[in-house]
Amino acid sequence: MRDVSLLLLALAFFFIPGRIVLYFVDGDDELGTGPIVRWAFAFMLGLGCISLQMFFYSLAGVPYGIVYIAAPWAILMAFMIFSGKGIITPKGGSADFLRSMGLTGLLALPIIISQVLYAFIYGIVPPISSWDAYQTWFFKANVFFKDRGVLASFFKTPLVHPDYPLLVPLSAAWVYTCLGYVNDVLVRAIYPVQYLALLLIFYYFVKRFSSVRTALVFSALLSLTPIIMVHGAGLPVRIGELYTGDLVGYADLTLSIYFLAAAGFFYLYATEGKKSQLVLAALFLGLAAWTKDEGTVFALFGGLMVMAHMAIAGKKSEAGWKEVLLFIVILSLTAGPWAVYKAALNLPGEYERTAGLATFINNLNRLPAILRFMGFIFFGKVSLYNLTWYAYVAANIVNFRRSFRRPLLFLNLFLLAQISAYVFVFVITHLELQFHLKTSVDRLALQLTPLAMLTVAASYVDLFRSKEPEGR
């Protein structure tokens, strides 16, 4: 019982800083997230807040401890509650939720609930067991907990992927800090909560441009995607091409949520133009870069799209460029510290020595094999991704004229640019090509699956809305 209480304490302090950040960005709930969805966004922001706080503590020589880490957030939260800021019960809500879901939504909701219940019940039964999850992410968490900080000397020892960002291992180290010891079972609780956060965040974006009913249907489809459950809670059996049914402990589910949130808020910003949407897009892009190297590429694409949107939309006023500056500052504060730290320690990126144009040109003969294998995973492994990628292609064909116009264009560009980056890495990789493809493409597809599903929903809603009589 003591361990469960301490685990709940650890999880609570992921929610609290994220909720505080959301209040400062969108205190009046102008974005209409409502009280439940807002806590989902808060959890994902809180993972970034706590892990960055722990990283900065290491740089300042402050040892990890529950009081040191939790006290600043607890004091600030208490102050905001007692000053009547409405931080616990924000404006907005879902009073008309049951009335709006209709029969279709009523059928979809039990599916979502059953999947979430499974994730929480099974998710913390087995320990972290996947080899990559432990050697790449949780080994570091173990060391950071025992060292009570991120020590530069640690990165001078032989390591697997020393250049990888630290959001996941530091988040796990926070759980260990609260528990007082390393527990590879209870720490898994982070992942079912992320699974629930993913569904709520996805629901919010679809509902924002459609309806409760449509959002529930698409959320139910996403909840039934096996590869997401394999990373969110694990399955007792192996499926598809995977060597195991349990990949809990990787960073790819976390990254997929940051991709979804960043692209979703940028889509809304391109549609509605609210500054808070741009701020949140920047925060989630920066946290994606703090999660995995693939997130850095995604963040760079996001920055380019912000610039392009400002130029195309004619936002060349002083106010428009102030928003661009704000975007750059936020991105720098979240993604920049690790980049600077890596440079200071001279931690080379995994593909730096092979990333030249000459290598790319010399290895272009790999392209057919790469595209065949990626196509096989995306479209041949229905057992892992359902029909998500077929639906994505079909949506763009059916709605072709609108899919490549703003704002739908931005969602497609996020996806296509990221896939292009993956192809580029496989072309220049120094690893044996087939081995690299077999051990990574399934996870790369997972990173983009929620965003692909969001693009499908946005495309079909846009198409049918354009064909309906005005006002219907």
Side-chain angles (χ1 to χ4, degrees):
M1 190 63 189
R2 174 183 175 275
D3 284 352
V4 173
S5 299
L6 292 172
L7 174 65
L8 293 176
L9 173 69
L11 294 177
F13 276 92
F14 288 128
F15 286 100
I16 289 172
R19 184 63 191 86
I20 291 171
V21 170
L22 272 176
Y23 180 83
F24 285 111
V25 174
D26 181 36
D28 293 328
D29 198 18
E30 179 188 24
L31 301 180
T33 53
I36 297 175
V37 173
R38 179 158 282 219
W39 287 105
F41 282 116
F43 183 78
M44 298 310 301
L45 287 170
L47 290 173
C49 291
I50 292 292
S51 56
L52 280 169
Q53 178 190 11
M54 293 172 73
F55 182 61
F56 290 135
Y57 273 15
S58 297
L59 298 181
V62 178
Y64 295 164
I66 296 177
V67 174
Y68 292 146
I69 296 170
W73 300 111
I75 293 169
L76 184 55
M77 187 72 165
F79 173 78
M80 296 178 76
I81 291 172
F82 289 120
S83 61
K85 298 292 186 184
I87 193 168
I88 298 295
T89 54
K91 295 179 182 178
S94 25
D96 62 341
F97 176 77
L98 293 174
R99 192 167 57 251
S100 304
M101 70 167 62
L103 179 60
T104 309
L106 197 60
L107 294 173
L109 186 59
I111 295 174
I112 299 169
I113 293 173
S114 67
Q115 295 297 103
V116 171
L117 286 175
Y118 168 83
F120 277 91
I121 292 170
Y122 182 79
I124 55 174
V125 171
I128 296 290
S129 58
S130 178
W131 174 250
D132 277 359
Y134 189 80
Q135 91 165 344
T136 303
W137 307 106
F138 281 77
F139 171 71
K140 292 176 183 174
N142 192 324
V143 172
F144 297 155
F145 161 69
K146 290 178 178 176
D147 286 346
R148 300 186 70 191
V150 178
L151 304 183
S153 57
F154 171 70
F155 296 97
K156 296 177 182 178
T157 59
L159 283 176
V160 176
H161 306 306
D163 61 307
Y164 277 18
L166 303 181
L167 182 143
V168 168
L170 284 174
S171 298
W174 164 242
V175 176
Y176 295 155
T177 299
C178 288
L179 293 174
Y181 69 105
V182 173
N183 186 317
D184 288 337
V185 175
L186 292 181
V187 74
R188 287 169 57 105
I190 295 173
Y191 288 86
V193 178
Q194 286 186 71
Y195 176 80
L196 175 59
L198 168 64
L199 297 180
L200 288 170
I201 289 169
F202 180 85
Y203 166 84
Y204 164 76
F205 286 122
V206 179
K207 176 179 173 289
R208 188 74 182 181
F209 54 70
S210 61
S211 65
V212 169
R213 183 184 313 165
T214 302
L216 284 173
V217 169
F218 276 98
S219 299
L221 292 173
L222 183 65
S223 74
L224 291 168
T225 307
I227 191 68
I228 294 176
M229 186 63 80
V230 169
H231 283 258
L235 297 172
V237 295
R238 167 184 164 179
I239 59 171
E241 293 293 298
L242 299 177
Y243 67 90
T244 177
D246 189 342
L247 294 176
V248 174
Y250 283 73
D252 302 283
L253 178 66
T254 312
L255 191 63
S256 75
I257 302 171
Y258 289 138
F259 282 179
L260 172 71
F265 275 120
F266 184 69
Y267 176 86
L268 293 179
Y269 175 73
T271 306
E272 302 172 7
K274 295 175 181 176
K275 186 169 73 171
S276 55
Q277 293 163 341
L278 183 65
V279 169
L280 287 169
L283 280 170
F284 285 114
L285 284 172
L287 293 180
W290 174 227
T291 303
K292 251 194 137 182
D293 285 344
E294 294 96 309
T296 301
V297 177
F298 198 84
L300 290 173
F301 286 140
L304 291 174
M305 275 189 260
V306 168
M307 302 294 184
H309 173 67
M310 291 296 188
I312 295 170
K315 290 194 174 186
K316 296 179 180 178
S317 64
E318 183 180 349
W321 288 112
K322 280 183 178 178
E323 290 187 1
V324 173
L325 180 60
L326 178 63
F327 177 89
I328 293 172
V329 168
I330 293 171
L331 202 56
S332 301
L333 290 174
T334 47
W338 177 242
V340 173
Y341 188 78
K342 279 200 309 178
L345 291 186
N346 194 26
L347 296 177
E350 190 171 1
Y351 304 104
E352 281 185 14
R353 60 189 175 91
T354 58
L357 181 61
T359 304
F360 179 76
I361 294 173
N362 291 336
N363 291 348
L364 274 177
N365 60 332
R366 295 178 173 184
L367 200 54
I370 294 168
L371 295 178
R372 276 197 306 271
F373 192 89
M374 292 182 73
F376 168 69
I377 294 295
F378 279 64
F379 298 101
K381 293 289 101 185
V382 175
S383 60
L384 297 179
Y385 304 95
N386 292 338
L387 297 173
T388 301
W389 294 100
Y390 285 98
Y392 173 73
V393 172
N396 280 304
I397 291 173
V398 172
N399 197 26
F400 181 79
R401 292 181 63 184
R402 302 173 71 89
S403 290
F404 293 94
R405 295 179 182 173
R406 293 179 295 134
L408 264 175
L409 169 65
F410 293 123
L411 294 181
N412 281 303
L413 281 179
F414 269 119
L415 281 165
L416 297 177
Q418 195 69 10
I419 291 172
S420 299
Y422 298 156
V423 171
F424 176 80
V425 167
F426 289 128
V427 170
I428 66 167
T429 183
H430 58 279
L431 301 173
E432 196 277 321
L433 181 60
Q434 286 302 314
F435 168 80
H436 198 177
L437 290 168
K438 288 180 180 179
T439 55
S440 58
V441 174
D442 63 280
R443 290 181 289 106
L444 300 179
L446 162 68
Q447 294 171 10
L448 297 176
T449 292
L451 179 52
M453 184 75 82
L454 179 69
T455 308
V456 171
S459 186
Y460 279 121
V461 167
D462 185 69
L463 174 66
F464 292 130
R465 182 182 291 135
S466 69
K467 292 182 178 296
E468 286 183 346
E470 186 175 354
R472 180 172 176 179

